Amino acid sequence: MPTNGLHQVLKIQFGLVNDTGRYLTAESFGFKVNASAPSLKRKQLWVLEPDPGQGHAVLLRSSHLGRYLSAEEDGRVACAAERPGRDCRFLVLPQPDGRWALQSEPHGRFFGGTEDRLSCFATAVSPAELWTVHLAIHPQAHLRSVSRRRYAHLCPQEGEIAADSDTPWGVDALVTLVFQNRQYGLRACDGRYLRSDGRLVGEPEARARYTLEFKAGKLAFKDCDGRYLAPVGPAGTLRAGRNTRPGKDELFDLEESPPQVVLLAANRRYVSVRQGVNVSANQDEELDHETFLMEIDCETKKCTFYSSTGGYWTLVTHGGIQATATQVSANTMFEVEWRGRRVALKANNGRYVCMKKNGQLAAISDFVVRVRGAPMLPQAQAAAWTEQAVPSGQDEEFVLKLINRPILVLRGLDGFVCHRRGSNQLDTNRSVYDVFHLSFSDGAYQIRGRGGGFWHTGSHGSVCSDGERAEDFLFEFRERGRLAIRARSGKYLRGGASGLLRADADAPAGVALWEY
């Protein structure tokens, strides 16, 4: 595994949903547990941990309380244990329909019930003792084979997903987990689903849905025949093998998928490292050498750009920009100014990055030069921005394009964005999510929802998803893993108490930031 911080294994958090559709909840008062919550929020988050002892037992820790679920011999359950004891050990017994039965290892009884009548005293499994696992992580990630130490990516020519890549570079490495009917589908970046025989299909049919299993912090995907996905053959093609029990070959890590971007300079050429260490705007196509991994520092909100050749952009002598740094430092950090459809980058020397006549980038400008007649769009300005593209010619401005989210899932502070039933409006507080399609045009994005309708802003800032014509939205990557979306009015999209998505926020913060 790389140790430079670029590859972060996701901490697997999930909710447990009982037979009546309610979530297992850990309460602060008395450390009691119930199954009364209709949606997945902070109190409903759990983490599965391997038991430090021998055997196959696991521990269930509440993310909210930081304490462990326990079951006593008389069936009483609580979430009070600060350290895991004997009564905290459970066996996870996956069922054919994808649900789990949780059995107390020391006492042999099963955990279940409804509302505040939960116990671990059943001697056999009934519907009341079955739990659906609902992942709480953002569902778009990179998938890494534990045994091969390679990343899965789409191979369009072969029509398959293969685990044979050293790095998760480019759009092909994005995998979206789609939750449906208590199971998960693996959706490639082109929208197709992985079937257990290795083929890619357009719909999440029965053989393209999997039951999730956890083993030592890793994931395994079991198909409808009880076999597990694994990389097979020299190419590492993902398909269900012969094994009916998960070994190392059947285990995967889910890793964070940071934004990967390309930048187009004023000369209409892509910024690249193809011709050496100098970062230059001199290419006509966007391939690996023109793709950069963009990460935002949690404290300073400045960003780094990491190249496919293994180096960070860094400020060097006389203001030059080269992709040679192996570690993050002050000189690899750039402040991003969001200027409508364009961005400007300020380096550690306090100067803006510009394109020189030979295409090379250098941080030598004291301000952003604009061509005559170009509208001014300062960073803090909240006024409406024009649909007309800003004229080219500004050497300090770049078009920044997100390339590894052709399909988009958004999650806010209160939940996921999802179509409201029987309406053209969008909810922002749902436990389930819809997958939206993203397209790009000259610094702006168009978002397409269910049925092919486009997102558009309506009266009072409401956002609807049934537009016949595309409306442009601006994406601003403000924090690590979170973006702000700006509408035509200059306002930002936000969630709220009503659960409706609206374009009426003045600042890109709080409920106006979206995990993507």
Side-chain angles (χ1 to χ4, degrees):
M1 283 288 291
T3 58
N4 57 11
L6 293 174
H7 303 271
Q8 301 290 332
V9 176
L10 289 168
K11 179 181 179 182
I12 304 296
Q13 294 183 316
F14 56 87
L16 289 172
V17 191
N18 71 359
D19 190 53
T20 63
R22 301 289 168 159
Y23 287 81
L24 179 63
T25 302
E27 300 287 1
S28 303
F29 179 74
F31 304 114
K32 296 179 180 179
V33 292
N34 62 62
S36 302
S39 60
L40 184 60
K41 300 292 178 62
R42 190 161 52 98
K43 292 183 179 180
Q44 291 77 41
L45 294 179
W46 298 85
V47 175
L48 202 68
E49 297 180 356
D51 183 75
Q54 300 296 320
H56 300 289
V58 297
L59 310 168
L60 281 164
R61 179 170 56 83
S62 164
S63 297
H64 168 53
L65 301 177
R67 299 185 180 227
Y68 293 89
L69 183 71
S70 64
E72 299 182 19
E73 188 173 4
D74 62 3
R76 288 185 294 176
V77 291
C79 192
E82 295 186 58
R83 294 181 177 83
R86 179 172 177 264
D87 287 344
C88 300
R89 295 164 59 90
F90 290 88
L91 296 174
V92 174
L93 306 178
Q95 304 299 299
D97 66 355
R99 289 185 287 184
W100 287 1
L102 298 173
Q103 185 181 33
S104 168
E105 191 205 48
H107 309 305
R109 302 298 179 97
F110 294 95
F111 173 55
T114 59
E115 297 185 348
D116 58 354
R117 298 183 295 277
L118 299 183
S119 69
C120 190
F121 204 65
T123 57
V125 177
S126 73
E129 284 74 45
L130 293 177
W131 300 89
T132 297
V133 181
H134 188 174
L135 290 184
I137 60 173
H138 193 278
Q140 294 182 297
H142 297 142
L143 192 64
R144 180 178 181 268
S145 166
V146 171
S147 62
R148 301 209 179 192
R149 300 181 181 180
R150 296 292 186 272
Y151 291 91
H153 68 103
L154 173 67
C155 304
Q157 294 179 344
E158 290 79 16
E160 63 185 25
I161 295 177
D164 64 353
S165 178
D166 290 331
T167 57
W169 211 258
V171 64
D172 291 348
L174 181 71
V175 174
T176 303
L177 296 178
V178 178
F179 184 63
Q180 189 177 61
N181 298 327
R182 302 192 181 106
Q183 294 179 306
Y184 284 86
L186 290 172
R187 196 173 189 181
C189 64
D190 66 355
R192 291 185 293 173
Y193 294 84
L194 175 64
R195 207 166 70 174
S196 59
D197 62 0
R199 293 178 56 194
L200 296 173
V201 294
E203 297 295 332
E205 57 188 68
R207 292 191 175 276
R209 295 198 297 266
Y210 305 91
T211 301
L212 288 187
E213 292 189 10
F214 296 83
K215 185 176 181 180
K218 312 297 183 184
L219 280 180
F221 298 88
K222 184 171 70 172
D223 75 356
C224 58
D225 295 323
R227 300 178 301 156
Y228 292 84
L229 282 184
V232 177
T237 302
L238 287 193
R239 60 172 179 258
R242 298 178 180 179
N243 290 342
T244 56
R245 297 186 66 177
K248 189 174 182 180
D249 286 344
E250 289 75 33
L251 297 181
F252 296 89
D253 279 320
L254 278 180
E255 290 190 2
E256 180 182 345
S257 175
Q260 295 182 22
V261 301
V262 297
L263 294 102
L264 191 69
N267 62 357
R268 300 296 184 184
R269 306 192 82 184
Y270 289 101
V271 175
S272 177
V273 292
R274 183 175 301 276
Q275 295 180 342
V277 298
N278 290 320
V279 181
S280 302
N282 59 8
Q283 296 299 313
D284 295 321
E285 50 186 355
E286 47 182 82
L287 300 175
D288 283 355
H289 286 91
E290 293 72 51
T291 299
F292 302 97
L293 190 149
M294 178 181 175
E295 285 200 302
I296 299 175
D297 182 72
C298 295
E299 295 182 2
T300 65
K301 303 299 187 288
K302 293 182 179 181
C303 72
T304 60
F305 294 96
Y306 186 79
S307 74
S308 61
T309 56
Y312 292 94
W313 290 16
T314 187
L315 179 68
V316 296
T317 308
H318 306 304
I321 304 296
Q322 296 184 344
T324 56
T326 57
Q327 299 291 331
V328 173
S329 68
N331 280 340
T332 67
M333 305 294 289
F334 296 85
E335 180 182 344
V336 182
E337 290 187 4
W338 302 98
R339 306 171 66 86
R341 292 174 179 259
R342 303 291 187 264
V343 300
L345 304 174
K346 185 182 287 186
N348 189 46
N349 61 0
R351 293 186 167 183
Y352 288 96
V353 175
C354 71
M355 180 193 65
K356 297 163 69 174
K357 289 184 178 180
N358 63 359
Q360 291 184 7
L361 301 194
I364 56 176
S365 291
D366 292 322
F367 50 88
V368 178
V369 178
R370 288 188 169 271
V371 297
R372 183 176 299 175
M376 294 299 293
L377 290 170
Q379 183 180 10
Q381 182 180 351
W385 49 274
T386 174
E387 288 185 350
Q388 182 91 23
V390 176
S392 61
Q394 304 92 301
D395 292 342
E396 294 81 13
E397 289 191 324
F398 300 87
V399 175
L400 186 147
K401 173 185 173 184
L402 175 69
I403 68 156
N404 63 334
R405 289 297 187 277
I407 51 180
L408 186 69
V409 174
L410 294 174
R411 181 169 71 169
L413 295 180
D414 297 311
F416 288 101
V417 175
C418 185
H419 288 93
R420 174 166 285 196
R421 291 182 181 177
S423 171
N424 64 349
Q425 295 179 311
L426 297 159
D427 281 326
T428 63
N429 58 359
R430 298 286 295 278
S431 298
V432 296
Y433 47 84
D434 278 333
V435 176
F436 302 97
H437 293 265
L438 203 62
S439 55
F440 181 84
S441 176
D442 193 32
Y445 297 84
Q446 300 82 41
I447 306 171
R448 207 160 22 92
R450 186 187 302 161
F454 289 98
W455 282 25
H456 64 98
T457 51
S459 58
H460 308 293
S462 62
V463 180
C464 303
S465 63
D466 60 351
E468 294 183 3
R469 297 181 60 185
E471 183 173 317
D472 289 338
F473 293 88
L474 301 183
F475 282 11
E476 300 177 1
F477 305 99
R478 292 287 185 167
E479 294 185 2
R480 183 186 178 98
R482 287 171 171 78
L483 60 80
I485 303 176
R486 197 175 181 189
R488 296 176 55 179
S489 63
K491 301 288 187 177
Y492 291 95
L493 272 57
R494 68 161 180 90
S498 68
L500 283 177
L501 183 64
R502 294 187 179 279
D504 60 5
D506 293 323
V511 292
L513 288 178
W514 304 94
E515 189 177 353
Y516 63 101

mmCIF file with all atom_site columns, all heavy atoms in Angstrom, residues 51 70-71 89 98 125 168 212 222 225 250 274 301 402 469 473 507 516:
data_model
loop_
_atom_site.group_PDB
_atom_site.id
_atom_site.type_symbol
_atom_site.label_atom_id
_atom_site.label_alt_id
_atom_site.label_comp_id
_atom_site.label_asym_id
_atom_site.label_entity_id
_atom_site.label_seq_id
_atom_site.pdbx_PDB_ins_code
_atom_site.Cartn_x
_atom_site.Cartn_y
_atom_site.Cartn_z
_atom_site.occupancy
_atom_site.B_iso_or_equiv
_atom_site.pdbx_formal_charge
_atom_site.auth_seq_id
_atom_site.auth_comp_id
_atom_site.auth_asym_id
_atom_site.auth_atom_id
_atom_site.pdbx_PDB_model_num
ATOM 1   N N   . ASP A 1 51  ? -13.184 -9.720  16.870  1.00 0.00 ? 51  ASP A N   1
ATOM 2   C CA  . ASP A 1 51  ? -12.869 -9.955  18.275  1.00 0.00 ? 51  ASP A CA  1
ATOM 3   C C   . ASP A 1 51  ? -11.369 -10.238 18.402  1.00 0.00 ? 51  ASP A C   1
ATOM 4   O O   . ASP A 1 51  ? -10.806 -11.004 17.607  1.00 0.00 ? 51  ASP A O   1
ATOM 5   C CB  . ASP A 1 51  ? -13.675 -11.143 18.807  1.00 0.00 ? 51  ASP A CB  1
ATOM 6   C CG  . ASP A 1 51  ? -13.438 -11.370 20.287  1.00 0.00 ? 51  ASP A CG  1
ATOM 7   O OD1 . ASP A 1 51  ? -13.966 -10.589 21.095  1.00 0.00 ? 51  ASP A OD1 1
ATOM 8   O OD2 . ASP A 1 51  ? -12.696 -12.319 20.624  1.00 0.00 ? 51  ASP A OD2 1
ATOM 9   N N   . SER A 1 70  ? -23.987 -5.519  23.914  1.00 0.00 ? 70  SER A N   1
ATOM 10  C CA  . SER A 1 70  ? -23.793 -6.733  24.703  1.00 0.00 ? 70  SER A CA  1
ATOM 11  C C   . SER A 1 70  ? -25.132 -7.410  24.949  1.00 0.00 ? 70  SER A C   1
ATOM 12  O O   . SER A 1 70  ? -26.183 -6.771  24.919  1.00 0.00 ? 70  SER A O   1
ATOM 13  C CB  . SER A 1 70  ? -23.126 -6.411  26.048  1.00 0.00 ? 70  SER A CB  1
ATOM 14  O OG  . SER A 1 70  ? -23.977 -5.591  26.838  1.00 0.00 ? 70  SER A OG  1
ATOM 15  N N   . ALA A 1 71  ? -25.095 -8.717  25.153  1.00 0.00 ? 71  ALA A N   1
ATOM 16  C CA  . ALA A 1 71  ? -26.294 -9.509  25.444  1.00 0.00 ? 71  ALA A CA  1
ATOM 17  C C   . ALA A 1 71  ? -26.006 -10.414 26.635  1.00 0.00 ? 71  ALA A C   1
ATOM 18  O O   . ALA A 1 71  ? -25.058 -11.209 26.599  1.00 0.00 ? 71  ALA A O   1
ATOM 19  C CB  . ALA A 1 71  ? -26.688 -10.336 24.218  1.00 0.00 ? 71  ALA A CB  1
ATOM 20  N N   . ARG A 1 89  ? -19.622 -10.632 22.381  1.00 0.00 ? 89  ARG A N   1
ATOM 21  C CA  . ARG A 1 89  ? -19.222 -11.442 21.232  1.00 0.00 ? 89  ARG A CA  1
ATOM 22  C C   . ARG A 1 89  ? -20.457 -11.975 20.506  1.00 0.00 ? 89  ARG A C   1
ATOM 23  O O   . ARG A 1 89  ? -21.328 -12.607 21.107  1.00 0.00 ? 89  ARG A O   1
ATOM 24  C CB  . ARG A 1 89  ? -18.334 -12.605 21.688  1.00 0.00 ? 89  ARG A CB  1
ATOM 25  C CG  . ARG A 1 89  ? -17.012 -12.145 22.280  1.00 0.00 ? 89  ARG A CG  1
ATOM 26  C CD  . ARG A 1 89  ? -16.343 -13.265 23.072  1.00 0.00 ? 89  ARG A CD  1
ATOM 27  N NE  . ARG A 1 89  ? -16.077 -14.432 22.255  1.00 0.00 ? 89  ARG A NE  1
ATOM 28  C CZ  . ARG A 1 89  ? -14.971 -14.647 21.566  1.00 0.00 ? 89  ARG A CZ  1
ATOM 29  N NH1 . ARG A 1 89  ? -14.004 -13.740 21.600  1.00 0.00 ? 89  ARG A NH1 1
ATOM 30  N NH2 . ARG A 1 89  ? -14.798 -15.735 20.851  1.00 0.00 ? 89  ARG A NH2 1
ATOM 31  N N   . GLY A 1 98  ? -29.791 -12.216 1.973   1.00 0.00 ? 98  GLY A N   1
ATOM 32  C CA  . GLY A 1 98  ? -28.894 -11.097 2.199   1.00 0.00 ? 98  GLY A CA  1
ATOM 33  C C   . GLY A 1 98  ? -28.918 -10.527 3.599   1.00 0.00 ? 98  GLY A C   1
ATOM 34  O O   . GLY A 1 98  ? -28.046 -9.738  3.962   1.00 0.00 ? 98  GLY A O   1
ATOM 35  N N   . VAL A 1 125 ? -34.224 -18.619 14.518  1.00 0.00 ? 125 VAL A N   1
ATOM 36  C CA  . VAL A 1 125 ? -34.305 -17.400 13.717  1.00 0.00 ? 125 VAL A CA  1
ATOM 37  C C   . VAL A 1 125 ? -35.686 -17.291 13.082  1.00 0.00 ? 125 VAL A C   1
ATOM 38  O O   . VAL A 1 125 ? -36.121 -18.174 12.332  1.00 0.00 ? 125 VAL A O   1
ATOM 39  C CB  . VAL A 1 125 ? -33.223 -17.392 12.617  1.00 0.00 ? 125 VAL A CB  1
ATOM 40  C CG1 . VAL A 1 125 ? -33.369 -16.154 11.742  1.00 0.00 ? 125 VAL A CG1 1
ATOM 41  C CG2 . VAL A 1 125 ? -31.832 -17.446 13.229  1.00 0.00 ? 125 VAL A CG2 1
ATOM 42  N N   . PRO A 1 168 ? -5.466  3.490   -8.822  1.00 0.00 ? 168 PRO A N   1
ATOM 43  C CA  . PRO A 1 168 ? -6.846  3.729   -9.273  1.00 0.00 ? 168 PRO A CA  1
ATOM 44  C C   . PRO A 1 168 ? -6.948  5.031   -10.042 1.00 0.00 ? 168 PRO A C   1
ATOM 45  O O   . PRO A 1 168 ? -7.529  6.009   -9.573  1.00 0.00 ? 168 PRO A O   1
ATOM 46  C CB  . PRO A 1 168 ? -7.621  3.772   -7.948  1.00 0.00 ? 168 PRO A CB  1
ATOM 47  C CG  . PRO A 1 168 ? -6.636  4.316   -6.959  1.00 0.00 ? 168 PRO A CG  1
ATOM 48  C CD  . PRO A 1 168 ? -5.285  3.833   -7.397  1.00 0.00 ? 168 PRO A CD  1
ATOM 49  N N   . LEU A 1 212 ? -23.405 -8.571  1.121   1.00 0.00 ? 212 LEU A N   1
ATOM 50  C CA  . LEU A 1 212 ? -22.137 -8.151  1.691   1.00 0.00 ? 212 LEU A CA  1
ATOM 51  C C   . LEU A 1 212 ? -21.797 -8.991  2.910   1.00 0.00 ? 212 LEU A C   1
ATOM 52  O O   . LEU A 1 212 ? -22.649 -9.242  3.757   1.00 0.00 ? 212 LEU A O   1
ATOM 53  C CB  . LEU A 1 212 ? -22.189 -6.686  2.107   1.00 0.00 ? 212 LEU A CB  1
ATOM 54  C CG  . LEU A 1 212 ? -22.190 -5.625  1.011   1.00 0.00 ? 212 LEU A CG  1
ATOM 55  C CD1 . LEU A 1 212 ? -22.081 -4.257  1.638   1.00 0.00 ? 212 LEU A CD1 1
ATOM 56  C CD2 . LEU A 1 212 ? -21.064 -5.839  0.039   1.00 0.00 ? 212 LEU A CD2 1
ATOM 57  N N   . LYS A 1 222 ? -21.101 -11.975 -2.034  1.00 0.00 ? 222 LYS A N   1
ATOM 58  C CA  . LYS A 1 222 ? -21.649 -13.304 -2.291  1.00 0.00 ? 222 LYS A CA  1
ATOM 59  C C   . LYS A 1 222 ? -22.819 -13.212 -3.254  1.00 0.00 ? 222 LYS A C   1
ATOM 60  O O   . LYS A 1 222 ? -23.738 -12.409 -3.069  1.00 0.00 ? 222 LYS A O   1
ATOM 61  C CB  . LYS A 1 222 ? -22.109 -13.954 -0.978  1.00 0.00 ? 222 LYS A CB  1
ATOM 62  C CG  . LYS A 1 222 ? -22.604 -15.390 -1.162  1.00 0.00 ? 222 LYS A CG  1
ATOM 63  C CD  . LYS A 1 222 ? -22.847 -16.073 0.176   1.00 0.00 ? 222 LYS A CD  1
ATOM 64  C CE  . LYS A 1 222 ? -24.047 -15.514 0.894   1.00 0.00 ? 222 LYS A CE  1
ATOM 65  N NZ  . LYS A 1 222 ? -24.380 -16.295 2.098   1.00 0.00 ? 222 LYS A NZ  1
ATOM 66  N N   . ASP A 1 225 ? -25.969 -17.666 -5.818  1.00 0.00 ? 225 ASP A N   1
ATOM 67  C CA  . ASP A 1 225 ? -25.669 -19.095 -5.714  1.00 0.00 ? 225 ASP A CA  1
ATOM 68  C C   . ASP A 1 225 ? -24.739 -19.420 -4.551  1.00 0.00 ? 225 ASP A C   1
ATOM 69  O O   . ASP A 1 225 ? -24.293 -20.565 -4.407  1.00 0.00 ? 225 ASP A O   1
ATOM 70  C CB  . ASP A 1 225 ? -25.034 -19.598 -7.018  1.00 0.00 ? 225 ASP A CB  1
ATOM 71  C CG  . ASP A 1 225 ? -25.995 -19.515 -8.193  1.00 0.00 ? 225 ASP A CG  1
ATOM 72  O OD1 . ASP A 1 225 ? -27.197 -19.763 -7.981  1.00 0.00 ? 225 ASP A OD1 1
ATOM 73  O OD2 . ASP A 1 225 ? -25.540 -19.192 -9.314  1.00 0.00 ? 225 ASP A OD2 1
ATOM 74  N N   . GLU A 1 250 ? -11.050 -13.669 -2.101  1.00 0.00 ? 250 GLU A N   1
ATOM 75  C CA  . GLU A 1 250 ? -12.413 -13.116 -2.213  1.00 0.00 ? 250 GLU A CA  1
ATOM 76  C C   . GLU A 1 250 ? -12.604 -11.839 -1.399  1.00 0.00 ? 250 GLU A C   1
ATOM 77  O O   . GLU A 1 250 ? -13.724 -11.334 -1.297  1.00 0.00 ? 250 GLU A O   1
ATOM 78  C CB  . GLU A 1 250 ? -13.434 -14.156 -1.756  1.00 0.00 ? 250 GLU A CB  1
ATOM 79  C CG  . GLU A 1 250 ? -13.621 -15.330 -2.700  1.00 0.00 ? 250 GLU A CG  1
ATOM 80  C CD  . GLU A 1 250 ? -12.472 -16.324 -2.649  1.00 0.00 ? 250 GLU A CD  1
ATOM 81  O OE1 . GLU A 1 250 ? -11.888 -16.505 -1.554  1.00 0.00 ? 250 GLU A OE1 1
ATOM 82  O OE2 . GLU A 1 250 ? -12.146 -16.923 -3.686  1.00 0.00 ? 250 GLU A OE2 1
ATOM 83  N N   . ARG A 1 274 ? 3.298   15.308  -19.547 1.00 0.00 ? 274 ARG A N   1
ATOM 84  C CA  . ARG A 1 274 ? 3.692   14.300  -20.536 1.00 0.00 ? 274 ARG A CA  1
ATOM 85  C C   . ARG A 1 274 ? 5.134   14.488  -20.998 1.00 0.00 ? 274 ARG A C   1
ATOM 86  O O   . ARG A 1 274 ? 5.834   13.513  -21.288 1.00 0.00 ? 274 ARG A O   1
ATOM 87  C CB  . ARG A 1 274 ? 2.746   14.373  -21.735 1.00 0.00 ? 274 ARG A CB  1
ATOM 88  C CG  . ARG A 1 274 ? 3.009   13.321  -22.808 1.00 0.00 ? 274 ARG A CG  1
ATOM 89  C CD  . ARG A 1 274 ? 1.952   13.377  -23.893 1.00 0.00 ? 274 ARG A CD  1
ATOM 90  N NE  . ARG A 1 274 ? 0.614   13.158  -23.355 1.00 0.00 ? 274 ARG A NE  1
ATOM 91  C CZ  . ARG A 1 274 ? 0.083   11.959  -23.136 1.00 0.00 ? 274 ARG A CZ  1
ATOM 92  N NH1 . ARG A 1 274 ? 0.776   10.874  -23.423 1.00 0.00 ? 274 ARG A NH1 1
ATOM 93  N NH2 . ARG A 1 274 ? -1.139  11.841  -22.643 1.00 0.00 ? 274 ARG A NH2 1
ATOM 94  N N   . LYS A 1 301 ? -7.715  24.382  3.822   1.00 0.00 ? 301 LYS A N   1
ATOM 95  C CA  . LYS A 1 301 ? -8.612  24.329  2.654   1.00 0.00 ? 301 LYS A CA  1
ATOM 96  C C   . LYS A 1 301 ? -7.860  24.562  1.336   1.00 0.00 ? 301 LYS A C   1
ATOM 97  O O   . LYS A 1 301 ? -8.480  24.720  0.283   1.00 0.00 ? 301 LYS A O   1
ATOM 98  C CB  . LYS A 1 301 ? -9.767  25.339  2.776   1.00 0.00 ? 301 LYS A CB  1
ATOM 99  C CG  . LYS A 1 301 ? -10.616 25.154  4.034   1.00 0.00 ? 301 LYS A CG  1
ATOM 100 C CD  . LYS A 1 301 ? -11.264 23.807  4.091   1.00 0.00 ? 301 LYS A CD  1
ATOM 101 C CE  . LYS A 1 301 ? -12.245 23.682  5.252   1.00 0.00 ? 301 LYS A CE  1
ATOM 102 N NZ  . LYS A 1 301 ? -11.585 23.608  6.566   1.00 0.00 ? 301 LYS A NZ  1
ATOM 103 N N   . LEU A 1 402 ? -14.021 17.940  -13.368 1.00 0.00 ? 402 LEU A N   1
ATOM 104 C CA  . LEU A 1 402 ? -14.034 16.691  -12.611 1.00 0.00 ? 402 LEU A CA  1
ATOM 105 C C   . LEU A 1 402 ? -14.289 15.541  -13.578 1.00 0.00 ? 402 LEU A C   1
ATOM 106 O O   . LEU A 1 402 ? -15.295 15.525  -14.282 1.00 0.00 ? 402 LEU A O   1
ATOM 107 C CB  . LEU A 1 402 ? -15.143 16.743  -11.554 1.00 0.00 ? 402 LEU A CB  1
ATOM 108 C CG  . LEU A 1 402 ? -15.398 15.488  -10.727 1.00 0.00 ? 402 LEU A CG  1
ATOM 109 C CD1 . LEU A 1 402 ? -14.245 15.213  -9.781  1.00 0.00 ? 402 LEU A CD1 1
ATOM 110 C CD2 . LEU A 1 402 ? -16.711 15.636  -9.942  1.00 0.00 ? 402 LEU A CD2 1
ATOM 111 N N   . ARG A 1 469 ? -34.632 20.926  -20.884 1.00 0.00 ? 469 ARG A N   1
ATOM 112 C CA  . ARG A 1 469 ? -33.375 21.517  -21.311 1.00 0.00 ? 469 ARG A CA  1
ATOM 113 C C   . ARG A 1 469 ? -32.419 21.559  -20.128 1.00 0.00 ? 469 ARG A C   1
ATOM 114 O O   . ARG A 1 469 ? -32.820 21.744  -18.975 1.00 0.00 ? 469 ARG A O   1
ATOM 115 C CB  . ARG A 1 469 ? -33.599 22.929  -21.848 1.00 0.00 ? 469 ARG A CB  1
ATOM 116 C CG  . ARG A 1 469 ? -34.475 22.995  -23.091 1.00 0.00 ? 469 ARG A CG  1
ATOM 117 C CD  . ARG A 1 469 ? -34.632 24.421  -23.561 1.00 0.00 ? 469 ARG A CD  1
ATOM 118 N NE  . ARG A 1 469 ? -33.340 25.018  -23.898 1.00 0.00 ? 469 ARG A NE  1
ATOM 119 C CZ  . ARG A 1 469 ? -33.187 26.291  -24.248 1.00 0.00 ? 469 ARG A CZ  1
ATOM 120 N NH1 . ARG A 1 469 ? -34.247 27.102  -24.294 1.00 0.00 ? 469 ARG A NH1 1
ATOM 121 N NH2 . ARG A 1 469 ? -32.005 26.762  -24.544 1.00 0.00 ? 469 ARG A NH2 1
ATOM 122 N N   . PHE A 1 473 ? -24.910 24.280  -13.682 1.00 0.00 ? 473 PHE A N   1
ATOM 123 C CA  . PHE A 1 473 ? -24.569 24.446  -12.275 1.00 0.00 ? 473 PHE A CA  1
ATOM 124 C C   . PHE A 1 473 ? -23.049 24.486  -12.164 1.00 0.00 ? 473 PHE A C   1
ATOM 125 O O   . PHE A 1 473 ? -22.335 23.828  -12.936 1.00 0.00 ? 473 PHE A O   1
ATOM 126 C CB  . PHE A 1 473 ? -25.121 23.300  -11.425 1.00 0.00 ? 473 PHE A CB  1
ATOM 127 C CG  . PHE A 1 473 ? -26.615 23.258  -11.345 1.00 0.00 ? 473 PHE A CG  1
ATOM 128 C CD1 . PHE A 1 473 ? -27.362 22.569  -12.299 1.00 0.00 ? 473 PHE A CD1 1
ATOM 129 C CD2 . PHE A 1 473 ? -27.295 23.910  -10.324 1.00 0.00 ? 473 PHE A CD2 1
ATOM 130 C CE1 . PHE A 1 473 ? -28.746 22.529  -12.231 1.00 0.00 ? 473 PHE A CE1 1
ATOM 131 C CE2 . PHE A 1 473 ? -28.681 23.876  -10.250 1.00 0.00 ? 473 PHE A CE2 1
ATOM 132 C CZ  . PHE A 1 473 ? -29.410 23.182  -11.208 1.00 0.00 ? 473 PHE A CZ  1
ATOM 133 N N   . ALA A 1 507 ? -23.826 31.123  1.376   1.00 0.00 ? 507 ALA A N   1
ATOM 134 C CA  . ALA A 1 507 ? -22.425 30.749  1.573   1.00 0.00 ? 507 ALA A CA  1
ATOM 135 C C   . ALA A 1 507 ? -22.241 29.244  1.363   1.00 0.00 ? 507 ALA A C   1
ATOM 136 O O   . ALA A 1 507 ? -23.137 28.449  1.689   1.00 0.00 ? 507 ALA A O   1
ATOM 137 C CB  . ALA A 1 507 ? -21.972 31.148  2.977   1.00 0.00 ? 507 ALA A CB  1
ATOM 138 N N   . TYR A 1 516 ? -19.568 13.785  -2.113  1.00 0.00 ? 516 TYR A N   1
ATOM 139 C CA  . TYR A 1 516 ? -19.782 13.281  -3.463  1.00 0.00 ? 516 TYR A CA  1
ATOM 140 C C   . TYR A 1 516 ? -18.849 12.128  -3.775  1.00 0.00 ? 516 TYR A C   1
ATOM 141 O O   . TYR A 1 516 ? -18.828 11.634  -4.891  1.00 0.00 ? 516 TYR A O   1
ATOM 142 C CB  . TYR A 1 516 ? -19.574 14.404  -4.484  1.00 0.00 ? 516 TYR A CB  1
ATOM 143 C CG  . TYR A 1 516 ? -18.159 14.955  -4.490  1.00 0.00 ? 516 TYR A CG  1
ATOM 144 C CD1 . TYR A 1 516 ? -17.260 14.550  -5.483  1.00 0.00 ? 516 TYR A CD1 1
ATOM 145 C CD2 . TYR A 1 516 ? -17.709 15.848  -3.522  1.00 0.00 ? 516 TYR A CD2 1
ATOM 146 C CE1 . TYR A 1 516 ? -15.959 15.026  -5.494  1.00 0.00 ? 516 TYR A CE1 1
ATOM 147 C CE2 . TYR A 1 516 ? -16.435 16.325  -3.532  1.00 0.00 ? 516 TYR A CE2 1
ATOM 148 C CZ  . TYR A 1 516 ? -15.559 15.908  -4.511  1.00 0.00 ? 516 TYR A CZ  1
ATOM 149 O OH  . TYR A 1 516 ? -14.270 16.381  -4.509  1.00 0.00 ? 516 TYR A OH  1
#
